[in-house]
Amino acid sequence: MPCKPLRLRAARVLAEQGWLEHAVVEIDAAGLIAAIVPQGEFDLDLGPVWLMPALIDSHVHGAAGFDTMDASSEALDQISMHFARFGVGAFLATTVTAPLPAIEAALREVKASRERGLPGAELIGSYLEGPYFTAKCCGAHPIQWMRPLDIAELQHWLDIAGDSLHTVALAPELAGSDEAIAWLRRKGIRVLIGHSDASYDQTRQALHAGAQGIVHCYNGMRGLHHRDPGVVGAGLTSPCDIEMIADGHHVHPAAVQIALSCCGEERLVLITDAMRATGMADGPYELGEMHVTMQNGVVRTEAGGLAGSTLHLIDAVRHAKEWLGLPLERAWALASRNPARSMGLTDLGRIAIGKKASFTVITPELEVVETWVKGVRIVC
């Protein structure tokens, strides 16, 4: 944390109230925003760049050759630094369906690393993606390690992870899902619906029970049919959050436009679902227990299915701006304000007094220059 207040000036600042020209943002000794002053005195001039609320990746597995399932401090440190190089100020470390000891080890390491702190992007906690899915919509989650819902087992995960367990994804057609969702919500854990062949009615019931959103919408779920709206139809027409992998491979740009038309800008949350091949060369990799191959930046299982992405969140913002015709500030909100709200992070997602001084510094061409995390300039 800064040892004394620091005043930053940028050519443009995207503050909570809108764009400010040549504004100064003051950071206090606790790493919080203490003041925002139009054209005031400053200690550090960032130059002809734009200061934005830090990007937040709320669903990501890994990058730079490392993965959450490596269950090592080195892996999380390297992932944290890689994300910071590409403008991400905070992230949720996401697991995959795997043998129980592997998931346990990953959750323990996320808890320990969160407590010690990481050198780059802030680690918000863990996102348990699996093993409570259905085989028909398995995606890159091995069927042999999928399990029935069991509240005693959920308590076991909570005992291991403590308050670092932030999100659990599950398929609502599994027996006991309503009870499990209600139990998780009482524990303060966010619940999302994914890798599911649930019907429209089953999905709506799960949302009524307390589920809060849809995992990477369109992918790994029963799709939209005019006589069977499925998970997609229920998600797009219900007041819940909609994760979206806007990489042009997982979802066609027109499908992103359809989602935006249905759910509006407030509910659409850009994610990457990035895995260890992100930022790496084409070749063979692992996603949890599964062998996958990246070719031309697209990762697939041996059966040919998509296996996570190699997307950077800044590129998802760029795509949203281009595909949806949104001005930058509104496209940016899909990857900063919206994930912060979805995760209940009241101190992130906006440049406003009292919020964490976590920023993404970009050029007008949307190239990331640097990232600040809780008032600290990350040297990448």
Side-chain angles (χ1 to χ4, degrees):
M1 296 295 178
C3 60
K4 62 179 181 178
L6 177 66
R7 296 167 297 179
L8 306 178
R9 186 179 77 166
R12 299 189 86 194
V13 175
L14 182 57
E16 187 170 38
Q17 64 268 40
W19 289 105
L20 301 175
E21 306 297 325
H22 304 290
V24 174
V25 178
E26 182 176 330
I27 305 169
D28 69 17
L32 303 178
I33 298 171
I36 304 171
V37 182
Q39 303 183 21
E41 295 183 357
F42 57 90
D43 304 304
L44 177 62
D45 189 354
L46 297 177
V49 295
W50 298 354
L51 193 68
M52 315 290 286
L55 296 171
I56 302 169
D57 203 336
S58 58
H59 181 159
V60 61
H61 297 275
F66 297 91
D67 192 277
T68 299
M69 296 302 292
D70 293 345
S72 76
S73 58
E74 179 190 10
L76 290 172
D77 283 350
Q78 292 295 327
I79 292 167
S80 168
M81 286 301 295
H82 182 87
F83 292 161
R85 292 184 187 103
F86 288 88
V88 172
F91 70 103
L92 274 182
T94 307
T95 65
V96 295
T97 300
L100 297 189
I103 298 175
E104 291 172 356
L107 293 179
R108 286 193 178 94
E109 184 53 51
V110 170
K111 179 177 185 291
S113 290
R114 178 171 171 261
E115 289 172 352
R116 68 177 171 83
L118 300 187
E122 179 183 3
L123 176 57
I124 300 300
S126 53
Y127 181 153
L128 189 69
E129 189 185 8
Y132 308 114
F133 294 148
T134 188
K136 184 175 180 181
C137 300
C138 61
H141 291 259
I143 294 170
Q144 66 268 34
W145 302 118
M146 291 182 180
R147 301 172 63 79
L149 277 164
D150 181 349
I151 288 178
E153 189 167 86
L154 292 172
Q155 180 64 63
H156 175 64
W157 302 132
L158 191 56
D159 290 342
I160 291 171
D163 63 2
S164 68
L165 181 57
H166 186 283
T167 299
V168 171
L170 55 80
E173 67 268 35
L174 298 182
S177 64
D178 285 356
E179 293 80 3
I181 292 167
W183 184 88
L184 287 164
R185 295 295 296 119
R186 288 196 297 272
K187 298 294 183 178
I189 296 170
R190 185 177 67 147
V191 181
L192 301 181
I193 296 167
H195 291 281
S196 167
D197 191 39
S199 68
Y200 173 87
D201 289 338
Q202 287 173 316
T203 306
R204 292 275 295 185
Q205 178 59 35
L207 293 169
H208 180 74
Q212 293 160 276
I214 306 297
V215 178
H216 44 54
C217 188
Y218 298 114
N219 299 111
M221 63 190 60
R222 188 187 296 201
L224 176 66
H225 185 278
H226 58 285
R227 287 190 295 273
D228 179 13
V231 179
V232 172
L236 294 183
T237 58
S238 301
C240 68
D241 294 318
I242 301 295
E243 287 188 350
M244 190 67 65
I245 309 172
D247 64 351
H249 304 295
H250 282 76
V251 183
H252 190 281
V256 182
Q257 179 69 67
I258 290 168
L260 180 72
S261 298
C262 291
C263 68
E265 294 175 27
E266 292 294 325
R267 296 200 287 121
L268 193 64
V269 178
L270 296 179
I271 63 165
T272 65
D273 197 23
M275 48 82 71
R276 71 169 76 243
T278 303
M280 304 291 285
D282 282 352
Y285 292 92
E286 293 180 352
L287 179 59
E289 304 293 307
M290 189 167 286
H291 297 289
V292 300
T293 301
M294 180 168 70
Q295 184 173 5
N296 298 322
V298 180
V299 185
R300 295 188 180 275
T301 66
E302 293 174 348
L306 291 168
S309 87
T310 59
L311 179 67
H312 288 112
L313 202 53
I314 186 68
D315 293 319
V317 171
R318 187 178 288 108
H319 293 159
K321 183 175 180 291
E322 294 171 357
W323 299 347
L324 306 176
L326 297 176
L328 175 59
E329 63 272 18
R330 287 163 58 190
W332 197 273
L334 307 180
S336 185
R337 179 199 64 198
N338 288 7
R341 178 199 48 73
S342 176
M343 292 194 290
L345 306 176
T346 59
D347 52 3
L348 285 171
R350 302 173 191 268
I351 296 179
I353 294 173
K355 308 291 186 184
K356 287 179 181 176
S358 292
F359 313 122
T360 305
V361 182
I362 61 170
T363 68
E365 294 74 35
L366 270 67
E367 297 297 327
V368 174
V369 176
E370 61 190 31
T371 303
W372 291 67
V373 176
K374 295 185 290 185
V376 175
R377 191 180 200 175
I378 304 301
V379 179
C380 298

